Amino acid sequence: MVAMSPLDSMFLLMESREHPMHVGGLSLFVPPVGQPGPARRLYEELAVSGDVSSTFRRRPGRLLQNFSALQWVVDDELEIEYHVRLLSLPAPGRVRELLELISMLHGSLLDRHRPLWEVYVIDGLSDGRIAVYAKTHHALMDGVRAVRTWQHALSDDAAARDCRPPWLRSSETDDTATAGLLTRSARTAGAIARMGVSVPASLSGARAMLRDYPHPRPFQAPSTMFNVPITGARRFAAQSWPLRRLQMVATQAGVSLNDVVLAMCAGALRSYLRDEQALPAEPLIAMVPVSLRGRPGFEDAGNAVAAALCDLATETADPRLRLARIHNSMNHAKATASKLTPLQLVGMSAVNVAGLALPALPLPLPFAKPPFNIVISNVPGATEPRYWNGMRLDAVYPASIPLDGQAVNITTISSGGRMHFGIVGCRRNVPHLQRLLTGLEDSLGVVESALSSRPSGLS
């Protein structure tokens, strides 16, 4: 058995039928010309029997009688045919039918009696591409680790034919399952000790946030049509933009690529809410996950993210001012985070993430406002083209987690020279979700026009 971190446990404790807590991704592959039965071949390559790594054999276990979110059990009877499946789209096989299928798959819970991941190979697209939808519980790994796990399984060589499923044990030592009882007990004790340390770290992080964050702070965001209870049904929308186009805006304005992504989202959200006659007078606040992977102590963690709050400046019609406010807000969040220890960062983030679970509590809350309005994530991907045994990865669209009080989520991945946006929303509470895609294009175009008509920079 492997002890869970407090953050991993939180993702399990927050889950319900209305709130599936898995992250997903839709990848589109272009098969080599003349390859027969590419979808069946891809399915057989993924469903091959082999030595599955311990990470992909983890399922929630029980440490005490009534606690099932404190430790992982390594499943020795994994059925690969259950976790990897082959589906086919109905005619006419448009992207519209594909997105409807992904919307349905993304709204269903993972079975806690099995390791918490599933993969679907999908045939039948009219343009000949092959789709792969994968979902993994957020308790098992965060979005950054999930993307890196899949990217590591791909090759940068179109001629390579030795790609292996990411869940198979690598040549490197994977000793989680094979370690002796004494070693595993020591790890469990260490994890429990870290849980105890995380409590004062959370308080320390919260104090630092209140001391150093003049704006924005949790529970100061305006209430919007997104910040309501949700149902379990999902709608998924996706689109890509040339990465060079976004980078040109970032260079001309003197901001980061992530700032440009946030500005696109802010403009799209402003337009959507304005069209719905629901745009608040106060600016929307986004929670922006920041990866801690690479810092000491987080290399192998299932979840290694901190949570920054960003002012989206949605109340202003000036795109340059909106981009400048976003840039300044993120710079301030990063400067504050740089002064905190990793445990304080996790503690501060736990305070923000805990705000996601509060609407589900059967108790009256003292807060009149939501902790923030929306989660917007930007996950870095591979810059060069990637292949799976000759199939070129054409696009990869992330699908993340809406929750009560957070009816829509926007996540992006940069890969293969494009920025891929994936938007997930509650089917009932976010009507015409695809209008946000139009808003993203319009928002980018407005920023480009504003920058081209004035001197470079935001000052």
Side-chain angles (χ1 to χ4, degrees):
M1 294 185 179
V2 182
M4 290 185 193
S5 72
L7 187 56
D8 295 350
S9 298
M10 185 181 297
F11 286 114
L12 284 170
L13 293 170
M14 289 169 61
E15 187 169 61
S16 68
R17 175 61 194 91
E18 290 75 24
H19 315 114
M21 294 301 297
H22 51 257
V23 292
L26 170 64
S27 300
L28 296 174
F29 290 91
V30 178
V33 176
Q35 183 184 86
R40 167 61 67 172
R41 178 173 178 177
L42 175 56
Y43 165 74
E44 291 174 349
E45 290 170 346
L46 290 175
V48 64
S49 298
D51 191 4
V52 177
S53 70
S54 61
T55 296
F56 286 91
R57 288 192 286 121
R58 291 182 179 181
R59 59 176 175 81
R62 290 184 179 273
L63 182 62
L64 299 173
Q65 181 66 28
N66 296 317
F67 292 89
S68 60
L70 292 176
Q71 63 179 3
W72 294 109
V73 172
V74 178
D75 194 332
D76 293 325
E77 299 180 354
L78 181 139
E79 299 177 72
I80 196 66
E81 295 83 3
Y82 174 86
H83 292 274
V84 183
R85 308 180 193 181
L86 178 63
L87 302 178
S88 185
L89 287 177
R94 299 169 297 182
V95 171
R96 177 177 177 177
E97 280 79 35
L98 175 62
L99 295 181
E100 280 293 328
L101 176 59
I102 302 306
S103 298
M104 181 184 69
L105 294 174
H106 197 63
S108 61
L109 292 168
L110 288 162
D111 184 357
R112 291 200 183 191
H113 295 93
R114 298 175 182 269
L116 298 177
W117 61 276
E118 294 174 2
V119 173
Y120 297 83
V121 178
I122 304 169
D123 195 8
L125 272 169
S126 59
D127 59 13
R129 290 183 296 177
I130 307 302
V132 176
Y133 167 72
K135 63 180 180 181
T136 309
H137 203 286
H138 209 311
L140 193 65
M141 61 178 68
D142 61 41
V144 173
R145 185 177 179 186
V147 169
R148 291 185 178 180
T149 298
W150 272 98
Q151 293 283 349
H152 184 72
L154 302 176
S155 173
D156 57 5
D157 183 2
R161 296 295 185 271
D162 57 353
C163 295
R164 302 169 71 247
W167 45 85
L168 292 187
R169 193 190 303 268
S170 66
S171 57
E172 300 174 359
T173 302
D174 179 11
D175 63 351
T176 303
T178 58
L181 177 60
L182 184 60
T183 301
R184 294 201 306 271
S185 299
R187 289 177 179 170
T188 300
I192 292 173
R194 288 192 295 273
M195 291 181 193
V197 172
S198 70
V199 174
S202 297
L203 297 175
S204 175
R207 286 195 298 269
M209 178 173 59
L210 293 174
R211 182 182 66 245
D212 297 331
Y213 265 68
H215 180 76
R217 296 181 185 178
F219 301 101
Q220 292 187 345
S223 295
T224 73
M225 62 179 291
F226 301 139
N227 308 120
V228 295
I230 65 172
T231 66
R234 300 286 176 262
R235 191 179 294 279
F236 179 63
Q239 192 167 321
S240 302
W241 277 263
L243 191 59
R244 185 171 179 272
R245 188 178 167 191
L246 277 65
Q247 289 170 332
M248 289 180 64
V249 171
T251 299
Q252 190 173 1
V255 301
S256 71
L257 180 63
N258 189 56
D259 294 336
V260 176
V261 169
L262 289 169
M264 288 177 65
C265 296
L269 291 166
R270 171 183 164 83
S271 297
Y272 182 94
L273 291 171
R274 186 185 57 205
D275 291 345
E276 293 290 323
Q277 299 183 347
L279 179 65
E282 302 170 78
L284 269 64
I285 305 300
M287 192 272 270
V288 183
V290 178
S291 177
L292 299 178
R293 205 162 299 284
R295 292 199 181 200
F298 292 97
E299 296 86 354
D300 299 320
N303 286 276
V305 290
L309 297 183
C310 179
D311 171 9
L312 293 181
T314 48
E315 87 287 6
T316 179
D318 186 337
R320 285 172 60 95
L321 177 58
R322 191 180 308 126
L323 180 55
R325 291 238 314 256
I326 289 170
H327 174 68
N328 292 335
S329 183
M330 288 303 297
N331 275 355
H332 182 74
K334 293 173 185 175
T336 301
S338 68
K339 302 173 186 176
L340 303 180
T341 67
L343 276 176
Q344 285 177 322
L345 275 172
V346 171
M348 184 183 72
S349 302
V351 173
N352 286 335
V353 173
L356 294 172
L358 292 179
L361 295 177
L363 299 170
L365 298 176
F367 309 106
K369 295 184 176 182
F372 40 83
N373 298 110
I374 187 172
V375 178
I376 302 176
S377 305
N378 182 12
V379 181
T383 56
E384 70 281 354
R386 307 290 287 179
Y387 300 87
W388 172 272
N389 293 333
M391 289 189 178
R392 178 175 59 84
L393 178 64
D394 187 53
V396 52
Y397 299 107
S400 197
I401 306 171
L403 284 170
D404 268 345
Q406 304 287 324
V408 66
N409 177 288
I410 303 175
T411 305
T412 69
I413 293 179
S414 56
S415 177
R418 290 189 291 171
M419 184 67 74
H420 309 283
F421 285 71
I423 306 177
V424 182
C426 172
R427 199 175 190 95
R428 177 171 297 176
N429 296 106
V430 189
H432 310 293
L433 182 71
Q434 66 278 4
R435 289 211 318 259
L436 284 169
L437 298 177
T438 303
L440 288 169
E441 170 59 32
D442 292 345
S443 179
L444 179 59
V446 167
V447 173
E448 289 172 326
S449 298
L451 290 173
S452 64
S453 62
R454 302 185 191 181
S456 298
L458 296 173
S459 57

